[in-house]
């Protein structure tokens, strides 16, 4: 009946939302009234309610005793007891609205806050709560709800960081099944998922549960494998949960208990705790809202001891700051001209006396303005900086990470939303951004349940007597890797020995039994085996299981215990020497380019030496022979001609270096061809298979078929499934012309075993994939990580190699000592040398031509005067003749011309003197 009445009330209030208008009956006070009424809804019987009541009354007294806060206006608070009852809380809220209160503090629980927020919204009365931490209350649905503490969203982020810090993957959430518990755990799940972790099981406890109800839930939890338990509840029921867990021996070694801040509140308020109470929480990790130390806080702590015997908790601090927040907001409200006025709604007149006398409810006219003033307050309180973000959350959420030891707690670190986990206080980290990494400031040591300092691994095998069902492929080939024993149902092989050795290294017992998978007629599909793990048929899979992309979508894999990529196997034959073996070191293009460069370099040297070196002059036929002889004789450094020009010597020195490299490479390659026995195959690797149309073999039921089709585009008609190694051998020997295959593509581990006794085949080309074999486990299985660690230990101590040698070290071809044929030396290897040589030749010619042209223009006038031929021929022919002429002749002609010019000038001067003298004599005779 009471439940129906509450719902009827909520429906009525919601239906009348937005219909409240200013009525004719208004209650209005002066701008600065003498008294302002506020109200609070608490649960007096709870420990939080008791200390909150004391803190609220102390805050009211301090505000009223300070005339500078409200300028003479006094606050009056009315306290209401909800008694853990939603219906009574609703009645208290309605009574508050009838008393013309301008604000409501409380309620304690998020469940009641959800209900009362609807009333606050409709009557426009700000609702301030320092204990309702449900993140859902921050939604736009509750505009008049103001949380004066930190949301559970940040607390759950801190817990998720703790889980990740200690490298756990899964947790079990124990919570009260109401709005507070459910929404808090939803936030925890989101935060864990963002860090690669998850909630493996949710264990809800019904509200007002008895110890028997709690025991039923925890018994189910004890049967699960996860041992990391997060408890999100209320203080009263939290202690009952711990007491029941203690009786079920769930506080022993191996468990991890993480409690939200309800536990720190119990410890702080009830300190010192009775021994029987502290005994049930030893080794717990809990959080406490971080409040910065200040003079104001120390003063209040001193006064608190005079007010009560309860310990000082963060609940008391936030309750005290909530009253001061409201007082400062009211002061700003009055400064803005706000009045305390309420309005009646005419639409409720007809309900007078019918349902709870709803007509007596009033709307606070200044509710919106007061709400904004509350959100705009910035002050220094007992808890530190008190300021709201745009999302109506308090700034700088931070927590202390505590470890319960003995009769108290030990601080092991801090958490804040800007620094994560750290061993130093948040305000220190905030002032030093370079130290905001949690990894650089690890948490202090923890004493875990069972009085141990060794970090629990966080999970165990379920205590229900069930062994792990491990699927093992029942192979018909390559049973050295995994095979079933003939005289028993057991399995043997390389993979089985590796798994057994890894399990033996684990610090705990792993009960398991192998189950064969396959019909024993043909090799089973390992992809299907892994898929059965995902469906729950098997708990793990052990065998020659390659780690591929598709399989990782079905299960988690351990560290690879053997490397095994895909390779191509083809028949090979020995490569014998022939008559023309001396040509094999270089490719045809290399031979061609080398010959061209011999001629080019010889021609360049001839051009540079022709005008100054008699050895490079003569009839055209002789010069052609000289160029060819000089070019190819440099191959053996046996050229007879000397170079005289600087440019010619530079070109020749560089060319001799190139020749040295070519000679050395040719000699080494030819020696290898003639002395080292090599193998030859027309198949060069996966690329040549893709370019051809020949059939390709693969191991039946292997992932190779789909891989070649999807990744390399090979038509499925070309792929031939083969089962046994004998089938591989026969198909390769027959070849594609006789119904066989040209090559086989398989994993290297199988191929090496296949080739150990078959010397007529070989791996051709390079390994074209990189993967390995691992053991498969269900998604997020913690056993996968532990097995991986064990495999690494096996590799480090040499045991993995010993197991490999036991099963796989057999080779009848080990003394063969042959190598696969190496390709010819290509031009690419010498491209740089030829390029440098070509550049030098070009520069030498360019410099030489520039010098010739300069010299030609210097001597051209002289050539025109002394050669009648130049009159008839043009400048080009003259230049060609000039270039072909020996440089000594040009210089001699220049000197001779200079001498002849000097003699002519002397004769002219003598004739002029004689003419002058004759003129003077004639003039004298005439005068006489």
């Amino acid at each position: 009946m009471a439940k129906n009445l509450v719902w009827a009330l909520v429906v009525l209030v919601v239906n009348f939302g937005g219909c409240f208008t200013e009525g004719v009956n208004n209650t209005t006070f002066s701008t600065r009234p003498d008294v302002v009424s506020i109200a609070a809804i608490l649960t007096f019987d709870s420990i939080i309610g008791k200390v909150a009541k004391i803190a609220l009354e102390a805050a009211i007294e301090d505000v009223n005793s300070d005339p500078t806060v409200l300028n003479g206006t006094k606050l009056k608070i009315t306290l209401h007891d909800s008694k853990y009852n939603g219906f009574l809380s609703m009645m208290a809220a309605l009574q508050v609205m009838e008393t013309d209160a301008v604000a409501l503090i409380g309620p304690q629980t998020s469940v009641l806050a959800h209900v009362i927020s609807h009333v606050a919204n409709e009557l426009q009365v700000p609702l301030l709560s320092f204990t309702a931490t449900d993140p859902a209350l921050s939604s736009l649905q509750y505009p008049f709800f103001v949380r004066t503490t930190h949301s559970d969203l940040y607390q759950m982020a801190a817990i998720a960081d703790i889980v990740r810090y200690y490298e756990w993957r899964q947790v079990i959430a124990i919570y009260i099944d109401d709005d507070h518990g459910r929404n808090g755990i939803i936030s925890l799940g989101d935060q864990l998922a963002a860090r690669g972790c998850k909630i493996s099981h949710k264990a809800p406890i019904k509200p007002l549960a008895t110890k028997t109800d709690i025991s039923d839930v925890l018994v189910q939890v004890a049967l699960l494998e996860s041992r990391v338990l997060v408890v999100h509840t209320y203080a009263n029921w939290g202690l009952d949960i711990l007491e029941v867990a203690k009786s079920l021996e769930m506080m022993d070694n191996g468990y991890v208990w993480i409690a939200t801040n309800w536990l720190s509140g119990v410890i702080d308020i009830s300190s010192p705790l009775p021994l029987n109470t502290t005994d049930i929480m030893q080794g717990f990790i809990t959080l406490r809202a971080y409040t910065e130390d200040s003079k104001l806080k120390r003063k209040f702590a001193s006064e608190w001891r005079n007010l009560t015997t309860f310990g000082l908790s963060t609940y008391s601090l936030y309750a005290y700051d909530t009253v001061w927040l409201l007082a400062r907001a009211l002061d700003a409200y009055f400064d803005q001209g706000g009045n305390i006025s309420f309005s009646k709604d005419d639409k409720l007149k007809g309900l007078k006396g019918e349902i709870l006398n709803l007509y007596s409810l009033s709307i606070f006219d200044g509710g919106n303005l007061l709400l904004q003033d509350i959100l705009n307050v910035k002050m220094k309180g007992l808890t530190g900086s008190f300021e709201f973000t745009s999302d109506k959350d308090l700034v700088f959420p931070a927590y202390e990470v505590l470890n319960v030891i003995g009769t108290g707690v030990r601080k092991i670190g801090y958490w804040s939303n800007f620094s994560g986990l750290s061993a130093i206080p948040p305000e220190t980290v905030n002032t030093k951004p370079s130290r905001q990494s949690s990894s650089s400031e690890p948490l202090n040591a923890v004493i875990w349940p069972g009085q141990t300092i060794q970090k629990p691994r966080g999970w165990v095998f379920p205590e229900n007597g069930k062994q792990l069902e491990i699927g093992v492929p029942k192979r018909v080939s390559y049973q050295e890797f995994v095979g079933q024993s003939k005289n028993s149902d057991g399995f043997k092989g390389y993979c089985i020995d590796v798994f057994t050795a890894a399990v033996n290294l684990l610090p705990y017992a792993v009960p398991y039994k192998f189950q064969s998978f396959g019909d024993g007629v043909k090799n089973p599909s390992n992809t299907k085996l892994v898929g059965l793990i995902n469906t729950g048929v098997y708990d793990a899979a052990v065998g020659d299981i390659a780690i591929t992309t598709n399989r990782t979508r079905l299960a988690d894999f351990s560290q690879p215990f053997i490397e095994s990529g895909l390779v191509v196997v083809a028949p090979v034959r020995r490569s014998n020497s022939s008559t023309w073996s001396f040509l094999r070191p270089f490719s045809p293009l290399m031979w061609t380019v080398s010959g061209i460069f011999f001629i080019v370099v010889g021609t360049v040297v001839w051009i540079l030496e022709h005008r100054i070196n008699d050895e490079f002059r003569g009839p055209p036929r002789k010069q052609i022979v000289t160029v060819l002889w000089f070019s190819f004789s440099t191959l053996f450094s046996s050229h007879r001609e000397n170079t005289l020009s600087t440019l010619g010597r530079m070109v020749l020195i560089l060319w001799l270096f190139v020749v040295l490299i070519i000679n050395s490479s040719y000699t080494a390659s030819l020696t290898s061809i003639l002395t080292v026995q090599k193998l030859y195959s027309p198949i060069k690797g996966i690329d040549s298979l893709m370019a051809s149309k020949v059939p390709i073999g693969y191991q039946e039921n292997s992932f190779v078929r789909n891989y070649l089709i999807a990744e390399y585009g090979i038509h499925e008609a070309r792929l031939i499934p083969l089962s046994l190694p004998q089938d591989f051998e026969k198909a390769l020997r027959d070849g594609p012309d006789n119904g066989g295959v040209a090559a086989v593509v398989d994993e290297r581990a199988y191929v090496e075993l296949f080739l150990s006794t078959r010397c007529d085949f070989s791996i051709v080309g390079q390994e074209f994939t990189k993967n390995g074999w691992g053991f498969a486990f269900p998604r997020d299985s913690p056993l996968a990580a532990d097995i991986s660690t064990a495999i690494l230990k096996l590799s480090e101590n040499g045991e993995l190699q010993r197991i490999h040698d036991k099963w796989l070290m057999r080779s009848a071809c080990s003394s063969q000592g042959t190598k696969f044929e190496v390709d010819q030396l290509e031009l690419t290897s010498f491209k740089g040398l030829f390029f440098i040589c070509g550049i030098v030749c070009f520069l030498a010619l360019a410099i030489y031509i520039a010098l010739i042209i300069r010299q030609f223009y210097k001597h051209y006038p002289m050539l025109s005067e002394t050669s009648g031929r130049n009159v008839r021929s043009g400048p080009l022919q003259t230049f060609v003749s000039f270039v072909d002429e020996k440089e000594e002749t040009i210089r001699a002609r220049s000197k001779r011309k200079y001498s002849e010019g000097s003699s002519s000038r002397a004769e002219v001067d003598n004739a002029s003197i004689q003419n002058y003298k004759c003129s003077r004599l004639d003039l004298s005779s005439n005068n006489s």
Side-chain angles (χ1 to χ4, degrees), residues 453-464:
I453 60 174
Q454 183 177 2
K455 184 197 75 173
R457 68 175 184 272
W459 68 279
V460 295
F461 285 100
E463 297 180 0
N464 51 15

Side-chain angles (χ1 to χ4, degrees), residues 348-360:
L348 296 179
K349 288 181 180 180
L351 300 176
K352 184 176 181 180
E354 294 181 7
I355 302 177
L356 300 176
N357 193 18
L358 294 179
Y359 183 66
S360 63

Side-chain angles (χ1 to χ4, degrees), residues 497-530:
D497 281 5
V498 172
F499 179 77
T500 303
V503 170
N504 291 337
L505 287 179
L506 298 179
Y508 49 88
V510 179
Y512 65 89
K513 61 180 179 180
F514 293 130
Q515 297 288 343
S516 63
F517 172 72
D519 55 12
V521 178
K522 59 183 180 180
N523 291 327
S525 170
N526 284 336
T527 302
K528 292 182 179 179
L529 174 59
V530 174

Side-chain angles (χ1 to χ4, degrees), residues 869-882:
R869 176 182 57 181
N870 293 331
V871 177
R872 297 186 301 271
S873 59
L876 180 60
Q877 294 181 2
T878 305
F879 177 74
V880 172
S881 300
F882 177 78

